[in-house]
Amino acid sequence: MEGSSGSNWQRSDSSRRLNSSSFLNKNHRNIQARTDNTTHDSGSVRKGREKAVWPHINNDVSLRQWLDNPERKVESLECLHIFSQIVHIVNLAHSQGIVVHNVRPSCFIMSSFNRVSFIESASCSDSSSDSMEYESNTQTAEFKPLLNDHKQLVSQLDSEAKKHLFPMKQILLMESNWYRSPEEATSCASDIYQLGVLLFELFCTFGSLEEKSTTMGSLRHRVLPPQLLLRWPKEASFCLWLLHPEPSSRPKTSDLLQSEFLNEPKDDIEKREAAIELKEKIEEQELLLEFLLLLQQRKQDASDSLNETISCISSDIEEVAKLQASIKKNFVSDDYDSCSSGSRKRIRKGIENDDNKDDEDQGSFLFKTSRLMKNFRKLESAYFVTRNRATKQTCRLLNRHSQISSDGRGSIERSSVSNPSISKERYNDNKPSRWINTFLEGLCKYLSYSKLKVKADLKQGDLLNSSNLVCSLSFDRDGEFFATAGVNKKIKVFEYNSILDENRDIHYPVVEMASRSKLSSICWNGYIKSQIASSNFEGLVQGVSVGTIRTKANVCCVQFPTDSARSLAFGSADHRIYYYDLRNSKMPLCTLVGHNKTVSYVKFIDSTTLVSASTDNTVKLWDLSMCTSRVLDCPLQSFTGHLNVKNFVGLSVSSEGYIATGSETNEGESANLPRAVNRFVSVFCETMQVYVYHKAFPMPSVSFKFNSSDSLSGDEVDDAAQFISSVCWRGQSTTLVAANSMGNIKVLEMA
């Protein structure tokens, strides 16, 4: 009978109780479900479950926590089911000649459907260190390897225990005393004594820790509470048998498994366990079904989104094809009107015979295609951003016209409303070409130039100043002269055409003006050619103040729109940009939030488009018309690729939408930069460079490595502290003047 019982249990339950891999897989799943219990996915599964065959726990907890739950109600069959599982675990150990030592609630895990597994946690070992007999027997070395993989689970259970009503450490210390057998030497009989204490705890509940401590102290003298004797007489008698003071008088685990006490309800337990296993399989299928349904929904959503994207692209392809056909048709028509048939044929024949020109065109096309494919992902992102922005702008216009028409104001609006189909058709006709033209313009300008070449290198020397750092550059309205200002306390005005003369050994300014302080910025009057405004390191500006805007942080840059004197924007050390209407200077009209370091420059491209630079390695493009509230936190574009974490490296914008900025020399990995940025910096920013972006795309269009050289000798200087200090476009051209912190000035041109 004993062999049969042991073998049956080994076949049916040994892998479930002691096999570490299956136990961990099952409990890892349950812990994960507990962790995600607040989510909709797991919640929907759990809410739909039917009531279990008997009440069971939903989360993995230690048996100690389960026993100490004040709301626990004693149910005979449930307690016997738990006790029977533990007896089987102890019997397996004894059959291998191993003394378990720790047959205590804190060393067992209660999982779903009241399944029990043995796990000797660190908490158990710590609490039992006061009594050496729990750890002295080396035979447990054969039993412990099965439990080593449970440490992660135990640590989670211990953290859960901290939230329990009873203090976990205090309970563990008490538990070691409650479960200590009377004899000094530990043996298999000691495990039987602990089984008796465990059986007593299963059938007794307590209202407080003090009551439990007193009752458990009496149990060492085999004194049972009256309520146990009255309500559970058979269980009380069996408990006293296990707690016999003489180890030889206690039963063996084989006797327990053959006893009427455990075998009488065995059929009911097996039936219910079979029902539980079936229920568990159904639950697993429900989880799998829920996962598959969720996966299907997500993939369907992705498919719908992809189909919508493909539909938009197909629509755009059709629109571009129509525009291309229309252009070709107009070209042929104009060709017929302007030329006779014979002359047209001669012209076309001449073009076809011009092989050199064809080769050049083919080479240019292949080069542009190569650049396009190299940056395909970024161009794709810019395409969708441009398209979505145009769609939103159209929706805003339609809504605005609807609001105006509803108020009955404006003859134009009323006429549109009287025939809404015409109005809608007009907007639908304009919408595709508007955004397509915007994206096409940006793409063409991005691909038009591939490099910056040096047109001239300004050679100057200032022996009276140790530092020649150029802080600011500015062209006059006609592009004939440009001025420099910096820490040498001088404003120097150079004639542009004379700088292009390569025969000069040194270039002299046509005008030189001294200042009593280091100069931080200059600006040429756009209307009066003979006027230049400057500011110095003392905070002084020329002219008379007509108003004051008070700020909480330092102001780093100020800029007026090119076509208005009623508003201005300034960048601040608090990482923000403030846009003011000067007719109401008490509070900003809009605050631009997006940089995470000092804003060093702000420049207007037009009255509603603003570019800002910061020492956070980014330049950002803003659309002020999108500011519906007083805060704008979504820039149109973030330009990255240059290095700028410490200095003011210059910023300039052209009317063609090109944005120029400088960079610093890479001085190794910066502690302020994430690792990914440092990797990028080490590859692309080994030396200071000038970068040119187009407003349509976030990546640089062209760049130029600015080699440092001594202003007098012309020899190259290797100084890691140098940086580009200022850049300035020359009017409407593609020419750019750039200066570095050593005073070197170069005239560059996009090619």
Side-chain angles (χ1 to χ4, degrees):
M1 184 69 177
E2 178 181 351
S4 175
S5 175
S7 61
N8 288 337
W9 178 78
Q10 288 181 22
R11 283 196 305 269
S12 61
D13 289 343
S14 60
S15 60
R16 182 174 67 241
R17 304 290 187 259
L18 292 176
N19 185 278
S20 60
S21 60
S22 62
F23 172 78
L24 280 176
N25 291 337
K26 181 184 293 295
N27 286 282
H28 175 72
R29 183 198 66 210
N30 292 331
I31 287 176
Q32 188 65 37
R34 181 178 71 243
T35 305
D36 300 336
N37 194 32
T38 56
T39 63
H40 171 74
D41 301 337
S42 59
S44 61
V45 175
R46 295 185 183 276
K47 290 179 181 178
R49 293 177 182 165
E50 298 178 358
K51 190 174 181 180
V53 179
W54 56 42
H56 63 277
I57 57 176
N58 291 324
N59 300 326
D60 296 342
V61 296
S62 70
L63 182 56
R64 165 55 57 204
Q65 291 175 277
W66 184 82
L67 288 171
D68 289 343
N69 184 3
E71 299 179 359
R72 182 176 72 91
K73 295 181 180 180
V74 178
E75 294 188 12
S76 177
L77 197 59
E78 181 182 33
C79 293
L80 289 176
H81 177 234
I82 294 171
F83 183 73
S84 176
Q85 293 179 75
I86 296 174
V87 171
H88 279 91
I89 292 174
V90 176
N91 180 64
L92 177 62
H94 287 185
S95 66
Q96 299 176 14
I98 298 173
V99 179
V100 179
H101 294 295
N102 290 323
V103 186
R104 298 181 289 153
S106 58
C107 297
F108 291 92
I109 296 298
M110 290 281 290
S111 58
S112 299
F113 303 102
N114 292 345
R115 300 202 181 280
V116 180
S117 299
F118 180 81
I119 172 169
E120 188 175 21
S121 70
S123 298
C124 296
S125 300
D126 292 342
S127 64
S128 61
S129 60
D130 295 336
S131 54
M132 297 300 295
E133 65 268 21
Y134 280 85
E135 294 293 329
S136 61
N137 196 317
T138 57
Q139 286 182 326
T140 55
E142 299 179 17
F143 195 56
K144 288 180 181 178
L146 297 173
L147 315 170
N148 291 335
D149 294 333
H150 305 310
K151 291 181 180 179
Q152 182 178 0
L153 177 62
V154 174
S155 62
Q156 297 187 35
L157 293 171
D158 288 342
S159 62
E160 291 285 337
K162 294 178 182 178
K163 305 175 184 178
H164 199 269
L165 179 63
F166 301 127
M168 190 64 175
K169 288 186 177 180
Q170 184 179 0
I171 285 291
L172 291 175
L173 291 173
M174 291 182 176
E175 184 184 72
S176 65
N177 293 323
W178 297 339
Y179 280 77
R180 186 182 296 114
S181 60
E183 63 272 13
E184 294 183 2
T186 57
S187 62
C188 291
S190 302
D191 292 344
I192 301 299
Y193 180 88
Q194 294 182 28
L195 284 173
V197 180
L198 180 59
L199 180 62
F200 173 78
E201 276 206 82
L202 284 169
F203 282 89
C204 282
T205 58
F206 305 94
S208 66
L209 181 58
E210 292 76 14
E211 178 188 355
K212 182 168 187 173
S213 180
T214 302
T215 305
M216 296 300 288
S218 300
L219 185 65
R220 295 193 62 81
H221 304 287
R222 303 181 75 205
V223 178
L224 304 180
Q227 62 268 26
L228 180 66
L229 295 170
L230 292 174
R231 187 178 180 187
W232 312 105
K234 184 186 300 185
E235 288 74 7
S237 176
F238 197 80
C239 182
L240 290 174
W241 185 28
L242 300 177
L243 295 174
H244 200 283
E246 291 295 330
S248 59
S249 299
R250 298 173 200 155
K252 294 181 174 55
T253 53
S254 57
D255 299 330
L256 299 181
L257 294 174
Q258 297 175 17
S259 66
E260 183 179 336
F261 178 74
L262 291 181
N263 281 281
E264 184 176 340
K266 187 175 181 180
D267 292 339
D268 293 335
I269 291 177
E270 290 179 351
K271 288 180 181 179
R272 297 202 177 199
E273 188 168 20
I276 286 174
E277 290 181 353
L278 180 60
K279 182 70 176 179
E280 193 172 20
K281 290 180 180 179
I282 294 174
E283 179 185 287
E284 290 174 349
Q285 294 298 321
E286 288 178 352
L287 289 173
L288 177 59
L289 181 61
E290 183 74 12
F291 165 76
L292 293 175
L293 290 173
L294 181 61
L295 181 63
Q296 182 189 46
Q297 182 62 43
R298 291 186 177 182
K299 294 302 181 182
Q300 186 62 49
D301 292 342
S303 175
D304 294 341
S305 177
L306 182 61
N307 288 333
E308 183 179 353
T309 301
I310 293 175
S311 177
C312 291
I313 296 174
S314 299
S315 173
D316 295 341
I317 291 174
E318 183 179 354
E319 181 68 22
V320 172
K322 288 181 180 179
L323 290 174
Q324 187 182 45
S326 176
I327 293 172
K328 288 182 178 179
K329 182 178 180 181
N330 292 334
F331 172 78
V332 173
S333 177
D334 293 341
D335 198 14
Y336 270 107
D337 293 339
S338 60
C339 303
S340 64
S341 176
S343 61
R344 185 176 68 253
K345 289 180 180 179
R346 286 193 300 272
I347 292 173
R348 289 184 174 178
K349 185 176 180 180
I351 294 175
E352 291 172 358
N353 292 333
D354 193 350
D355 295 335
N356 293 332
K357 184 174 179 60
D358 287 345
D359 292 340
E360 291 178 2
D361 292 343
Q362 184 68 16
S364 175
F365 178 79
L366 292 176
F367 174 77
K368 291 180 179 180
T369 302
S370 175
R371 290 192 67 194
L372 187 146
M373 296 306 298
K374 182 179 179 181
N375 297 284
F376 188 83
R377 290 291 186 186
K378 293 180 179 179
L379 291 171
E380 176 188 356
S381 176
Y383 159 76
F384 287 111
V385 168
T386 305
R387 198 182 200 287
N388 293 336
R389 186 163 64 242
T391 302
K392 291 179 180 178
Q393 290 175 348
T394 302
C395 292
R396 284 203 302 270
L397 287 173
L398 288 173
N399 292 334
R400 188 181 304 172
H401 278 268
S402 299
Q403 293 173 359
I404 295 175
S405 61
S406 63
D407 295 337
R409 293 178 295 181
S411 59
I412 296 178
E413 286 77 9
R414 285 196 297 270
S415 64
S416 298
V417 173
S418 63
N419 192 352
S421 62
I422 295 178
S423 176
K424 184 175 181 180
E425 182 180 355
R426 182 177 64 193
Y427 280 109
N428 288 338
D429 288 343
N430 293 335
K431 182 185 69 172
S433 59
R434 179 163 55 242
W435 86 259
I436 287 176
N437 289 337
T438 301
F439 181 78
L440 180 60
E441 178 187 3
L443 183 63
C444 292
K445 289 185 176 180
Y446 171 77
L447 297 174
S448 295
Y449 305 100
S450 60
K451 63 181 179 179
L452 282 168
K453 66 178 184 180
V454 179
K455 291 187 66 177
D457 199 339
L458 192 148
K459 303 170 184 177
Q460 60 169 335
D462 196 338
L463 299 176
L464 301 179
N465 291 279
S466 59
S467 177
N468 292 308
L469 188 150
V470 177
C471 297
S472 183
L473 295 166
S474 180
F475 271 96
D476 73 333
R477 67 180 186 186
D478 301 320
E480 295 178 350
F481 300 91
F482 68 89
T484 69
V487 299
N488 59 7
K489 305 179 183 179
K490 295 179 181 179
I491 298 176
K492 298 181 180 181
V493 179
F494 295 89
E495 185 181 6
Y496 174 76
N497 288 330
S498 66
I499 299 299
L500 301 182
D501 188 354
E502 298 179 355
N503 297 323
R504 295 195 177 189
D505 295 330
I506 192 167
H507 298 94
Y508 296 95
V510 294
V511 176
E512 185 173 293
M513 295 170 281
S515 172
R516 66 180 184 181
S517 177
K518 298 176 182 179
L519 297 165
S520 58
S521 181
I522 56 172
C523 182
W524 213 301
N525 192 312
Y527 299 95
I528 304 175
K529 191 169 184 175
S530 60
Q531 290 186 357
I532 297 177
S534 67
S535 61
N536 59 30
F537 278 44
E538 295 179 356
L540 298 178
V541 180
Q542 293 174 349
V544 179
S545 174
V546 296
T548 302
I549 297 176
R550 301 190 181 277
T551 63
K552 296 181 180 180
N554 291 339
V555 175
C556 302
C557 50
V558 182
Q559 184 75 15
F560 284 92
T562 55
D563 57 354
S564 174
R566 293 180 176 178
S567 57
L568 64 80
F570 61 84
S572 176
D574 64 0
H575 314 166
R576 299 185 176 190
I577 304 154
Y578 298 92
Y579 178 66
Y580 275 84
D581 186 334
L582 296 180
R583 293 169 293 183
N584 181 17
S585 60
K586 293 183 179 179
M587 62 185 305
L589 189 63
C590 184
T591 302
L592 283 59
V593 181
H595 288 292
N596 53 42
K597 283 192 176 181
T598 298
V599 178
S600 49
Y601 297 96
V602 290
K603 300 288 183 180
F604 280 93
I605 293 182
D606 53 50
S607 59
T608 61
T609 309
L610 180 72
V611 178
S612 63
S614 168
T615 52
D616 63 359
N617 277 308
T618 65
V619 173
K620 295 184 184 294
L621 180 69
W622 308 85
D623 184 357
L624 296 174
S625 64
M626 294 176 61
C627 186
T628 55
S629 62
R630 291 192 177 272
V631 176
L632 181 61
D633 58 1
C634 50
L636 293 179
Q637 200 73 265
S638 289
F639 307 96
T640 58
H642 60 287
L643 174 63
N644 182 203
V645 296
K646 185 167 56 176
N647 302 290
F648 284 27
V649 296
L651 180 70
S652 183
V653 298
S654 72
S655 59
E656 297 296 314
Y658 290 106
I659 303 167
T661 187
S663 71
E664 301 164 343
T665 301
N666 178 29
E667 301 179 55
E669 291 196 358
S670 171
N672 298 324
L673 292 176
R675 184 176 298 175
V677 175
N678 275 313
R679 284 200 301 266
F680 181 88
V681 166
S682 64
V683 174
F684 294 100
C685 296
E686 295 179 353
T687 59
M688 55 184 172
Q689 299 188 53
V690 177
Y691 287 85
V692 176
Y693 301 88
H694 188 268
K695 65 180 182 179
F697 304 118
M699 58 282 190
S701 179
V702 293
S703 63
F704 174 78
K705 184 182 294 185
F706 204 113
N707 295 323
S708 301
S709 61
D710 185 85
S711 58
L712 293 178
S713 64
D715 298 333
E716 289 194 5
V717 178
D718 186 12
D719 189 348
Q722 299 306 315
F723 57 94
I724 303 297
S725 57
S726 184
V727 291
C728 184
W729 289 104
R730 180 176 179 252
Q732 309 296 323
S733 68
T734 58
T735 301
L736 178 72
V737 176
N740 72 348
S741 52
M742 293 186 66
N744 300 139
I745 300 174
K746 295 182 185 292
V747 180
L748 307 173
E749 185 174 29
M750 291 196 296

